[in-house]
Amino acid sequence: MSHKYTFGHVAVIGGSTGKTGAPCMAAESSLRVGAGLSTVIVPASLNTIFEVKLTETMSIPIEDSGKGHFGIETIEEVVKIVEEGKFSAVVLGPGLGNEPETYEFAREIIKLITKPSVIDADGINALSGALEILKDKEQEIVITPHIGEFSRLTGLSKEKILEAPYEVATEIATKFGVNVVLKSGRTVVATPT
């Protein structure tokens, strides 16, 4: 006996002008791999795009004053929705955008969310220079950088990463207590243990 909540509810926080496809793909992918429900949490001015594009996925629009991206003024609202909702896990970053206030929004969300999380794309870029945020997290975190994002995240050159992908992925995983999925021609998965 099971129902949709038995298989989990994924919240995807992302989207910005010109980047609505990424959170849609993440939400649909979560359903395809077995989640019972998925919901995108998106800037309100873009919500119509999500409502038209997504069939099975729900959306929660967050007021953005027409900016087309998340700002720091919405942190409390998003955290409340995620923490008080029936969400099992959070995906942060697909299509989030690279506005400075959006990066600040992402860093604060990472600090405050207590659900298991996947940090991807612009969520990873927001952590560049701020990796220490991950050290204090108790919940399971997976980061999914490609080589360029991993370079920005760690300050290592792309060449150094490609020379020793297993070693650098393992070093970050153990140092910060996160699971690293380093994407390249060969994907490297490293855990804190």
Side-chain angles (χ1 to χ4, degrees), residues 2-68:
S2 62
H3 55 84
K4 56 191 172 189
Y5 285 106
T6 305
F7 299 101
H9 189 173
V10 176
V12 178
I13 304 169
S16 60
T17 301
K19 295 183 176 183
T20 56
C24 291
M25 286 174 42
E28 289 175 327
S29 297
S30 70
L31 293 172
R32 185 168 281 199
V33 299
L37 295 158
S38 71
T39 298
V40 291
I41 300 173
V42 299
S45 65
L46 305 175
N47 190 56
T48 303
I49 295 167
F50 293 98
E51 290 289 333
V52 170
K53 189 167 178 65
L54 297 169
T55 303
E56 296 177 79
T57 299
M58 297 168 284
S59 69
I60 299 174
I62 304 298
E63 183 53 50
D64 65 340
S65 301
K67 295 184 292 188

Side-chain angles (χ1 to χ4, degrees), residues 83-100:
E83 292 298 310
E84 293 180 4
K86 293 182 178 180
F87 297 107
S88 313
V90 175
V91 177
L92 173 69
L96 200 60
N98 56 11
E99 297 290 332

Side-chain angles (χ1 to χ4, degrees), residues 173-187:
T174 55
K175 183 175 181 180
F176 295 99
V178 298
N179 299 287
V180 177
V181 179
L182 178 56
K183 302 178 290 192
S184 186
R186 289 176 294 171
T187 297

Side-chain angles (χ1 to χ4, degrees), residues 15-192:
S16 60
T17 301
K19 295 183 176 183
T20 56
C24 291
M25 286 174 42
E28 289 175 327
S29 297
S30 70
L31 293 172
R32 185 168 281 199
V33 299
L37 295 158
S38 71
T39 298
V40 291
I41 300 173
V42 299
S45 65
L46 305 175
N47 190 56
T48 303
I49 295 167
F50 293 98
E51 290 289 333
V52 170
K53 189 167 178 65
L54 297 169
T55 303
E56 296 177 79
T57 299
M58 297 168 284
S59 69
I60 299 174
I62 304 298
E63 183 53 50
D64 65 340
S65 301
K67 295 184 292 188
H69 63 269
F70 286 101
I72 55 176
E73 70 281 356
T74 61
I75 292 167
E76 286 181 28
E77 181 181 3
V78 173
V79 169
K80 182 177 180 181
I81 288 167
V82 170
E83 292 298 310
E84 293 180 4
K86 293 182 178 180
F87 297 107
S88 313
V90 175
V91 177
L92 173 69
L96 200 60
N98 56 11
E99 297 290 332
E101 71 171 327
T102 304
Y103 280 2
E104 184 178 348
F105 163 86
R107 288 189 294 270
E108 289 302 312
I109 293 293
I110 292 166
K111 287 179 192 174
L112 297 170
I113 296 282
T114 63
K115 310 275 179 166
S117 301
V118 174
I119 303 171
D120 183 49
D122 292 328
I124 292 169
N125 291 329
L127 281 174
S128 296
L131 260 175
E132 295 296 319
I133 292 170
L134 299 177
K135 268 192 171 179
D136 299 326
K137 300 304 292 180
E138 291 182 17
Q139 80 272 21
E140 194 86 11
I141 293 182
V142 178
I143 60 172
T144 61
H146 57 59
I147 299 298
E149 291 166 340
F150 197 74
S151 177
R152 287 189 292 278
L153 190 63
T154 62
L156 298 170
S157 70
K158 291 177 186 178
E159 294 75 26
K160 172 77 174 162
I161 296 165
L162 290 169
E163 283 174 15
Y166 302 104
E167 291 80 2
V168 296
T170 301
E171 179 183 341
I172 295 301
T174 55
K175 183 175 181 180
F176 295 99
V178 298
N179 299 287
V180 177
V181 179
L182 178 56
K183 302 178 290 192
S184 186
R186 289 176 294 171
T187 297
V188 174
V189 178
T191 69

